[in-house]
Amino acid sequence: MKTRHDNTRQHVLETGQRIIAGKGFASVGLNEILTAAGVPKGSFYHYFESKEQYGQALLEDYFARYLADLDALFAAEALSAQERLACYWQRWLDKQAACAEQQCLVVKLGGEVADLSDPMRETLRDGTGQIVSRIARLLETGMADGSIPPLDAAATAQTLYQLWLGASLLAKLQRQAQPLENALQFTRQLLSC
Amino acid sequence: MKTRHDNTRQHVLETGQRIIAGKGFASVGLNEILTAAGVPKGSFYHYFESKEQYGQALLEDYFARYLADLDALFAAEALSAQERLACYWQRWLDKQAACAEQQCLVVKLGGEVADLSDPMRETLRDGTGQIVSRIARLLETGMADGSIPPLDAAATAQTLYQLWLGASLLAKLQRQAQPLENALQFTRQLLSC
DNA sequence: AGGTTTGATTAGACCGGTCGTCTAGTTTCT
DNA sequence: AGAAACTAGACGACCGGTCTAATCAAACCT
């Protein structure tokens, strides 16, 4: 029997993602996640080897969704590459502004988890790498279609992503969207100078 | 009697800073810090009200040092403002490259602590604000002495700090200095175009 | 078909560590 | 000597992740 298995597992992952995105990894206990999910504690170790491995699975799941969204947006052929990219940043800003509880697990967990668990760190590293390379690819598309001025795509993609990560962190600390707006304005300048 | 008081208190703060910079806040217990410091547990609650208040004090202490360093560097009159700033970024890169264990508590604790403790969040918010405004001030100095091209000082300072925070996070995830080098190169371009 | 086996799933006990408290003791200064 | 600052570390209540044993579902086999 696979369906129930997968459902329960996925349900635990999703519930945990919401809670952990709010409170962090170490400070949340399995109890909290499992009671919220309505899944008995005992089941946990049937689906996951340990909390660490669970965390890794959670991040993998997160990036899978994130990248799927990204691919959907970046493939929108009705828009120029520049417009698609602008839409990406705007969404980032909107999402973070909408609810105070962090959405971006890279910002939320990156610092905490990097020296705590190698598997989780590697998942974050690979996930962010994928994001940056997709941005770079879109920048190249934009240079080809003329909607983006010529730049070093890889370096620029990394710079922009770094900028937005930092902006998210500051926005989190300030509980304001202003740092993100600053990033947006700068991004606009950079991609159309 | 103040001296011993301050010494013990300070010693606990410094020991904790090292440990917490490596492992994060929630995942470290008071025990670990106190045994490392050679201070018995019982003393802790003489100097601090709670773990949270201790964390806040720790951050305040961290920013006090950081800003003192910054002021020392930024006041170096032998150098142009641009050189002073370049030196700041270079130091940031060197420090992070030197030891894998994070130095920058903003990157390490920002995400974790922001939704965990308001006093700690506010301390981080104020500290980063101070850093950004010092950078902005130096940018203005640089524009005045001609070593830095004319820009919106406040916005640029924030952008650069954001960029470097994000770069630190990625460097942490990758265990490589490359993201920081990317930030450095971009910073150079920006401040001398 | 009906009993049996197999594996998926659950329940909750378990040990160790957490933070924070509290009382007794020691040091230090007046 | 006495008062205040400080230290000592046992203690309690609780919660963490882990594991073993019991339960359940369903698929198999004669």
Side-chain angles (χ1 to χ4, degrees), chain A residues 100-101 169-179, chain B residues 113-118 121 125:
Chain A
E101 264 107 43
L169 192 57
L170 285 190
K172 229 174 139 45
L173 294 177
Q174 296 181 17
R175 288 211 202 287
Q176 282 190 54
Q178 187 274 322
Chain B
V113 144
D115 321 275
L116 202 67
S117 153
D118 250 39
R121 199 202 85 231
R125 181 196 60 196

Side-chain angles (χ1 to χ4, degrees), chain A residues 36-106:
Chain A
V39 171
K41 187 171 183 179
S43 304
F44 182 84
Y45 282 84
H46 176 67
Y47 297 106
F48 306 99
E49 288 169 22
S50 64
K51 194 192 183 192
E52 179 181 17
Q53 194 261 317
Y54 167 73
Q56 196 199 349
L58 190 148
L59 287 172
E60 276 165 6
D61 184 66
Y62 169 75
F63 279 117
R65 294 160 184 268
Y66 192 99
L67 291 170
D69 272 13
L70 210 67
D71 285 337
L73 174 60
F74 283 9
E77 295 190 9
L79 305 170
S80 73
Q82 198 207 22
E83 287 165 331
R84 281 175 254 174
L85 208 46
C87 190
Y88 173 61
W89 306 120
Q90 189 63 50
R91 275 199 201 174
W92 187 328
L93 195 158
D94 291 342
K95 236 187 208 166
Q96 184 130 350
C99 50
E101 264 107 43
Q102 186 70 31
Q103 302 279 358
C104 177
L105 290 187
V106 178

Side-chain angles (χ1 to χ4, degrees), chain A residues 7-176:
Chain A
N7 284 347
T8 305
R9 192 187 132 97
Q10 191 61 26
H11 183 218
V12 174
L13 282 175
E14 283 166 25
T15 311
Q17 214 171 97
R18 255 178 292 121
I19 298 176
I20 285 176
K23 301 195 183 180
F25 185 71
S27 62
V28 168
L30 294 181
N31 256 330
E32 184 173 354
I33 296 168
L34 292 170
T35 55
V39 171
K41 187 171 183 179
S43 304
F44 182 84
Y45 282 84
H46 176 67
Y47 297 106
F48 306 99
E49 288 169 22
S50 64
K51 194 192 183 192
E52 179 181 17
Q53 194 261 317
Y54 167 73
Q56 196 199 349
L58 190 148
L59 287 172
E60 276 165 6
D61 184 66
Y62 169 75
F63 279 117
R65 294 160 184 268
Y66 192 99
L67 291 170
D69 272 13
L70 210 67
D71 285 337
L73 174 60
F74 283 9
E77 295 190 9
L79 305 170
S80 73
Q82 198 207 22
E83 287 165 331
R84 281 175 254 174
L85 208 46
C87 190
Y88 173 61
W89 306 120
Q90 189 63 50
R91 275 199 201 174
W92 187 328
L93 195 158
D94 291 342
K95 236 187 208 166
Q96 184 130 350
C99 50
E101 264 107 43
Q102 186 70 31
Q103 302 279 358
C104 177
L105 290 187
V106 178
V107 173
K108 179 69 197 180
L109 300 181
E112 179 184 0
V113 144
D115 323 275
L116 201 66
S117 152
D118 250 39
M120 290 180 79
R121 200 202 85 232
E122 282 160 14
T123 306
L124 280 163
R125 181 196 59 195
D126 296 346
T128 51
Q130 295 272 335
I131 294 172
V132 170
S133 66
R134 274 167 170 77
I135 296 174
R137 215 183 303 149
L138 190 58
L139 284 172
E140 275 164 11
T141 310
M143 293 177 210
D145 75 16
S147 63
I148 288 173
L151 293 160
D152 179 338
T156 306
Q158 196 182 31
T159 299
L160 287 174
Y161 188 65
Q162 289 173 355
L163 175 67
W164 280 83
L165 286 180
S168 282
L169 192 57
L170 285 190
K172 229 174 139 45
L173 294 177
Q174 296 181 17
R175 288 211 202 287
Q176 282 190 54

Side-chain angles (χ1 to χ4, degrees), chain B residues 127-138:
Chain B
T128 52
Q130 295 272 335
I131 294 172
V132 170
S133 67
R134 274 166 170 79
I135 296 174
R137 214 183 302 149
L138 190 58

Side-chain angles (χ1 to χ4, degrees), chain B:
Chain B
M1 230 265 177
K2 272 279 156 193
T3 56
R4 177 137 60 115
H5 177 109
D6 286 353
N7 284 345
T8 303
R9 193 187 131 97
Q10 192 61 26
H11 183 216
V12 174
L13 283 176
E14 283 167 25
T15 311
Q17 214 172 97
R18 256 178 290 120
I19 297 176
I20 285 176
K23 301 196 184 180
F25 186 70
S27 61
V28 169
L30 294 182
N31 256 329
E32 183 173 353
I33 295 168
L34 292 170
T35 55
V39 170
K41 189 172 187 179
S43 305
F44 181 86
Y45 283 85
H46 177 68
Y47 298 106
F48 306 100
E49 289 168 22
S50 63
K51 194 193 182 189
E52 180 181 14
Q53 193 261 318
Y54 167 72
Q56 195 199 349
L58 190 147
L59 287 172
E60 277 165 6
D61 183 67
Y62 169 75
F63 280 116
R65 293 159 184 269
Y66 192 98
L67 291 170
D69 271 14
L70 210 67
D71 285 338
L73 173 61
F74 283 8
E77 296 190 9
L79 304 170
S80 74
Q82 197 208 24
E83 287 166 330
R84 280 175 255 174
L85 208 45
C87 189
Y88 172 61
W89 307 120
Q90 187 65 50
R91 275 197 201 174
W92 186 328
L93 195 157
D94 291 343
K95 237 186 207 167
Q96 183 129 350
C99 49
E101 265 106 44
Q102 187 70 29
Q103 303 278 357
C104 177
L105 290 188
V106 178
V107 173
K108 180 67 197 182
L109 299 182
E112 179 183 0
V113 144
D115 321 275
L116 202 67
S117 153
D118 250 39
M120 289 180 79
R121 199 202 85 231
E122 282 160 14
T123 306
L124 280 162
R125 181 196 60 196
D126 297 346
T128 52
Q130 295 272 335
I131 294 172
V132 170
S133 67
R134 274 166 170 79
I135 296 174
R137 214 183 302 149
L138 190 58
L139 283 173
E140 275 164 10
T141 310
M143 295 177 209
D145 75 16
S147 62
I148 288 174
L151 293 160
D152 179 336
T156 306
Q158 197 183 30
T159 299
L160 286 174
Y161 188 63
Q162 289 173 355
L163 175 67
W164 280 83
L165 285 181
S168 281
L169 192 56
L170 285 191
K172 228 173 138 46
L173 293 178
Q174 295 181 17
R175 290 211 202 288
Q176 280 189 52
Q178 187 274 323
L180 295 165
E181 282 156 11
N182 181 66
L184 184 61
Q185 200 179 339
F186 185 85
T187 306
R188 284 209 189 103
Q189 275 174 32
L190 188 70
L191 296 185
S192 60
C193 51

